[in-house]
Amino acid sequence: MRPLLALVYGGEGLIGSGNVQRARGRTALTVAALMVGVAMVISVGGLTQSFRADITQWMENAIGGDLYVRSPLPMRYELGGRLAATGGVRAAAPVRYFSVKRIAPATGQPDGDTSMVFVAIEPLSYQQTSHFQFATGTKGREEELLAQLAGGGAVFLGTTLADRFQIKQGDSLRLNTQRGPVEFAVAAVIVDFTAQGNSLTGSWSDMRRYWGVNDASTFILKLAPGAGAQSVAEAIKSRYGESFHVQVETSHEYRERITRLTDQSFALFDVLNLIGIIVAALGVVNTLMMNVLERLREIGMLRGLGMTRAQVGKMILAESAAIGLIGGAFGLAFGLFLSQVFLRGVNGLNGYELQFVWPLAGIAQGIVIALVVSQVAAAYPAWRAARTNIVSAIQHE
């Protein structure tokens, strides 16, 4: 890389890049710190991009309604018929969320350590508004599985719970109900991020039969062709807003809310990346300052031979750039390797295949960070070297 640095910094680039070999142990530690920072950015970027792509695919498949009607209070089931009769509405599907407990096989008692959310739907009306993203082994059998769910005594289990309980399609799951323990067949395993994936979907008839619940948490509306989402939403608010305390949200607003929550969930990874970058920057500052202090007499001699302060600064910046290029190159390779390792680990825990997405943004950020951090961190050592007094430096012992 010395010809490249000579092209950027001139003759000072050749001198500066050659200086990295003079304290190899110290330089290696600095390169390692920079490599770890860049690798974190790329590997975490690859993992988050894969998660975002999976969540986006789930939203496209599962969030099929045009409007979502909610209320802070449970809504009467009959409201669905009124909403369906609103102008511009083609179908209305009720959804009810409530907590359930699994009967632990070992004790025969409700499992107090596992919190699950039962999502009750009417399969026929739900099919008109939304869709399921089945995990495996269901291609071409969607209609059959929905009919099994509608028939009662069956549930669709989320991938997170399926992996936690080691349950697969065709097995059974015992739930604690108002009528005591009831065995439900696992008709399918689905990708569902409701309640952080700790959810299972069952029929409305089973909910009424075993838990005695008959009110809705949400109504998903599918609009007729040509109907405007905003105009229908305003009509529902004006008609039922005060009496039922309903709130209406479009599918676009719903997706944006999920995207914001996803970004907030991944914000911690950005903090970890920042910590790695700060550590790498401190390593560069430490190494270059020690190099400058050890070579004060040499720098004084170069100044005495005619090297200007700007040239001395460019020499230090070139040395830092060489460290940044080496750390960036190793960090790129190590980051891509780690992203594959993380992905395999997540797939093993989740029980479904999270597809790898090339972290192009993370790669670009990693390369920029390696170069920018090395140059910014070298600013003070370069300034310090350029301000070296020639006489006192030559006299330095």
Side-chain angles (χ1 to χ4, degrees):
M1 67 182 67
R2 294 186 69 188
L4 174 62
L5 294 172
L7 183 65
V8 177
Y9 295 98
E12 300 88 340
L14 287 174
I15 300 174
S17 58
N19 286 335
V20 299
Q21 302 184 63
R22 299 177 62 174
R24 294 189 177 187
R26 187 188 305 153
T27 302
L29 290 175
T30 307
V31 167
L34 193 58
M35 177 193 73
V36 170
V38 173
M40 285 177 62
V41 171
I42 295 175
S43 58
V44 171
L47 188 61
T48 55
Q49 283 294 107
S50 298
F51 265 118
R52 284 192 174 96
D54 206 51
I55 293 173
T56 301
Q57 183 181 2
W58 169 74
M59 287 192 297
E60 291 176 353
N61 292 330
I63 304 177
D66 297 308
L67 293 177
Y68 290 79
V69 180
R70 297 184 177 87
S71 173
L73 302 174
M75 296 176 287
R76 288 187 298 176
Y77 174 78
E78 292 76 16
L79 179 60
R82 300 186 185 184
L83 294 173
T86 305
V89 177
R90 188 175 68 182
V95 181
R96 183 64 158 90
Y97 305 95
F98 61 96
S99 298
V100 295
K101 294 291 184 180
R102 179 184 74 125
I103 299 297
T107 62
Q109 299 297 321
D111 187 355
D113 297 331
T114 303
S115 177
M116 302 186 298
V117 173
F118 192 100
V119 183
I121 64 169
E122 285 184 333
L124 295 180
S125 62
Y126 189 85
Q127 192 177 4
Q128 300 177 51
T129 60
S130 302
H131 305 280
F132 290 104
Q133 182 178 347
F134 294 99
T136 55
T138 58
K139 188 174 181 181
R141 299 180 54 206
E142 288 81 358
E143 295 292 334
E144 174 190 342
L145 296 174
L146 286 170
Q148 184 178 353
L149 188 69
V155 294
F156 291 168
L157 196 62
T159 51
T160 301
L161 291 179
D163 182 70
R164 179 183 298 178
F165 300 145
Q166 297 296 306
I167 295 176
K168 60 183 183 298
Q169 183 180 3
D171 292 343
S172 60
L173 178 69
R174 296 185 73 194
L175 299 178
N176 187 39
T177 74
Q178 297 295 332
R179 296 189 174 189
V182 176
E183 199 93 12
F184 289 88
V186 178
V189 177
I190 61 173
V191 177
D192 190 357
F193 292 97
T194 303
Q196 292 79 46
N198 297 308
S199 62
L200 63 157
T201 302
S203 68
W204 196 273
S205 59
D206 280 344
M207 177 185 70
R208 289 191 298 186
R209 179 182 180 184
Y210 295 113
W211 285 276
V213 179
N214 194 36
D215 49 46
S217 305
T218 302
F219 286 99
I220 305 176
L221 307 185
K222 189 70 175 179
L223 302 184
Q230 291 296 339
S231 60
V232 176
E234 291 300 326
I236 293 173
K237 288 179 184 177
S238 63
R239 188 175 300 178
Y240 305 110
E242 292 185 3
S243 56
F244 291 92
H245 307 286
V246 299
Q247 303 167 353
V248 186
E249 187 177 32
T250 65
S251 60
H252 177 70
E253 293 169 341
Y254 187 33
R255 288 186 175 94
E256 284 189 336
R257 184 158 59 88
I258 293 177
T259 302
R260 286 196 301 271
L261 292 173
T262 302
D263 293 338
Q264 292 173 7
S265 301
F266 291 136
L268 177 61
F269 293 114
D270 296 333
V271 175
L272 294 176
N273 289 339
L274 181 61
I275 293 174
I277 293 167
I278 291 174
V279 171
L282 292 176
V284 173
V285 172
N286 177 71
T287 296
L288 293 179
M289 279 301 302
M290 292 185 69
N291 290 349
V292 168
L293 293 175
E294 288 178 354
R295 298 202 297 265
L296 277 178
R297 193 168 192 176
E298 177 185 321
I299 293 172
M301 293 176 62
L302 292 173
R303 292 278 287 116
L305 292 172
M307 180 176 279
T308 65
R309 289 180 175 178
Q311 290 175 321
V312 172
K314 288 170 65 176
M315 179 181 68
I316 301 301
L317 289 176
E319 182 177 353
S320 179
I323 293 174
L325 287 172
I326 298 171
F330 279 102
L332 175 62
F334 191 49
L336 291 175
F337 169 74
L338 276 183
S339 63
Q340 294 284 353
V341 173
F342 290 165
L343 194 69
R344 288 178 181 271
V346 169
N347 284 341
L349 292 174
N350 283 345
Y352 67 94
E353 286 297 320
L354 190 66
Q355 298 300 319
F356 176 73
V357 177
W358 280 91
L360 299 180
I363 292 174
Q365 290 174 5
I367 294 174
V368 170
I369 286 170
L371 297 177
V372 172
V373 166
S374 63
Q375 294 299 279
V376 172
Y380 177 73
W383 177 83
R384 178 73 180 270
R387 300 289 297 177
T388 300
N389 182 275
I390 297 176
V391 175
S392 60
I394 292 177
Q395 293 177 345
H396 176 74
E397 291 293 339

